[in-house]
Amino acid sequence: MSMLKSRTLWITIGAITAANLAVFALADRAGVAGAATMAAGADANLAVVALLIGVIYLLTRRRAAVDLGARAPERRTAGREVAGVLAYAAAGQLVGAGLGRLLGGHPISFHLAGTLYGHQHVTPYEAYVWAGYNFVVYALLPWLYFRQRYTAEQLSLRSSNRRNDLLVIVVVMVLESLNELGGLSDAVLHLSAGQLLKGVPAAFGLYFLGSVLPTMVLVYSILLPRYRALTRSVPATVVLGGLTYALLHVFEAWTVLRSPAGAAVSIGLLLLQYTGPGMVKSVLTLRTGNAWVHVWAYHAVAPHTLVDTPHVVGIFNIK
């Protein structure tokens, strides 16, 4: 009953409703290919998100509670750091979008063009630039800056219960893998043995550098403890982690931002598609105190290696 009284819960439900209304009302004139289908799929996945969050709480119910907020500095410093990191990330997105276009490809965002949604043609050169830019801008430089000032534990980079972390990783990875293969794409199952042998490690490495590490460092290692300290609320921290993750994809190759209708539908779809998965990553980090758990349980393998290996096979023309 206390959860039903949560203001954060009802604000989130209201935002999901508003995003759906925007997408379905404006889809025909937004210019976003397959907008209604994407929204329907994202809505269906919210049930999986709720299930996974419940499973995570069940698996971690007996471990010592982690006070993630205690790992952040005092609130004034935490607030300044959050503002600085968000401004830095926004600048990184703008520069990446311009750089990607300048180099003759797609804008650089947290997903490589053609990832999960869409079928954009991507060259190997563009894939390397995407992975290198994201790794340096969103993972390496922020880590170097904050690691000089905070310990690995304060950055949630150390496990306090390896056995339980492993249990959470295995269970969530299996459940999400079944969800991805059954609900999004099973194309990886139709690749040849040779394509799998070369494509799987290529996809894993490419997305690990270009999406997984940047997400882990920027959002769940640095920002999440500071969100917890500032809000003093677990639900608010979970939602803020999800929203941050969603908005880091604003320049995805499929988004249309040049018109009001296109921007409204694109932002609505981003919130529907990525806030829920971002919230799962938040819960994994809050419950375990280990930002690495979400990397293995809910990002590096499922979805990216499972769903995007066929895309990488196509990029590098792996036979």
Side-chain angles (χ1 to χ4, degrees):
M1 291 299 293
S2 60
M3 186 63 181
L4 294 178
K5 297 178 181 178
S6 169
R7 181 179 299 179
T8 301
L9 172 65
W10 291 108
I11 290 174
T12 303
I13 291 174
I16 291 171
T17 303
N20 271 287
L21 290 174
V23 171
F24 286 104
L26 300 172
D28 290 339
R29 51 195 176 95
V32 180
T37 301
M38 291 166 69
D43 286 336
N45 192 55
L46 290 175
V48 179
V49 165
L51 171 64
L52 289 175
I53 289 175
V55 168
I56 294 163
Y57 271 89
L58 180 65
L59 295 173
T60 58
R61 69 191 185 281
R62 293 180 181 174
R63 67 185 290 166
V66 177
D67 184 1
L68 212 65
R71 298 177 178 178
E74 54 88 21
R75 295 188 78 202
R76 182 173 298 180
T77 301
R80 287 199 301 266
E81 289 180 344
V82 165
V85 170
L86 291 178
Y88 172 79
Q93 288 283 289
L94 289 170
V95 171
L99 180 63
R101 293 294 191 192
L102 184 65
L103 295 176
H106 302 85
I108 298 173
S109 189
F110 258 49
H111 279 162
L112 181 62
T115 298
L116 300 179
Y117 304 99
H119 303 283
Q120 289 87 357
H121 173 71
V122 177
T123 66
Y125 172 74
E126 184 179 357
Y128 291 136
V129 170
W130 169 80
Y133 179 87
N134 281 357
F135 171 70
V136 172
V137 173
Y138 301 112
L140 181 61
L141 294 181
W143 180 82
L144 288 173
Y145 179 86
F146 280 89
R147 188 63 182 88
Q148 291 178 348
R149 292 158 175 79
Y150 300 99
T151 66
E153 183 177 358
Q154 288 174 314
L155 293 174
S156 303
L157 298 175
R158 183 173 295 163
S159 175
S160 61
N161 188 332
R162 292 183 180 180
R163 179 174 295 181
N164 189 250
D165 284 355
L166 181 60
L167 175 65
V168 172
I169 288 168
V170 171
V171 172
V172 174
M173 183 195 299
V174 169
L175 291 176
E176 181 58 16
S177 296
L178 293 174
N179 174 52
E180 298 291 348
L181 292 173
L184 189 56
S185 174
D186 65 351
V188 69
L189 302 179
H190 303 287
L191 297 177
S192 69
Q195 289 174 319
L196 288 172
L197 186 63
K198 298 177 182 178
V200 166
F204 178 86
L206 190 69
Y207 281 93
F208 195 78
L209 291 177
S211 184
V212 176
L213 283 180
T215 298
M216 189 270 282
V217 171
L218 196 75
V219 183
Y220 298 100
S221 175
I222 295 172
L223 286 174
L224 205 69
R226 287 152 182 79
Y227 286 157
R228 180 69 176 90
L230 290 173
T231 64
R232 297 175 179 171
S233 164
V234 170
T237 302
V238 169
V239 172
L240 284 173
L243 287 173
T244 304
Y245 178 66
L247 293 175
L248 286 169
H249 296 79
V250 70
F251 291 112
E252 296 287 84
W254 55 263
T255 59
V256 178
L257 304 175
R258 59 182 176 270
S259 69
V265 170
S266 296
I267 297 300
L269 285 171
L270 287 172
L271 294 177
L272 291 174
Q273 289 172 348
Y274 298 129
T275 303
M279 289 168 60
V280 174
K281 300 179 201 303
S282 295
V283 172
L284 284 165
T285 306
L286 285 165
R287 295 296 294 178
T288 65
N290 183 0
W292 284 105
V293 169
H294 103 263
V295 166
W296 308 116
Y298 194 72
H299 207 178
V301 177
H304 286 313
T305 302
L306 282 179
V307 176
D308 291 308
T309 292
H311 184 40
V312 172
V313 165
I315 291 172
F316 294 98
N317 194 27
I318 298 174
K319 301 298 185 181

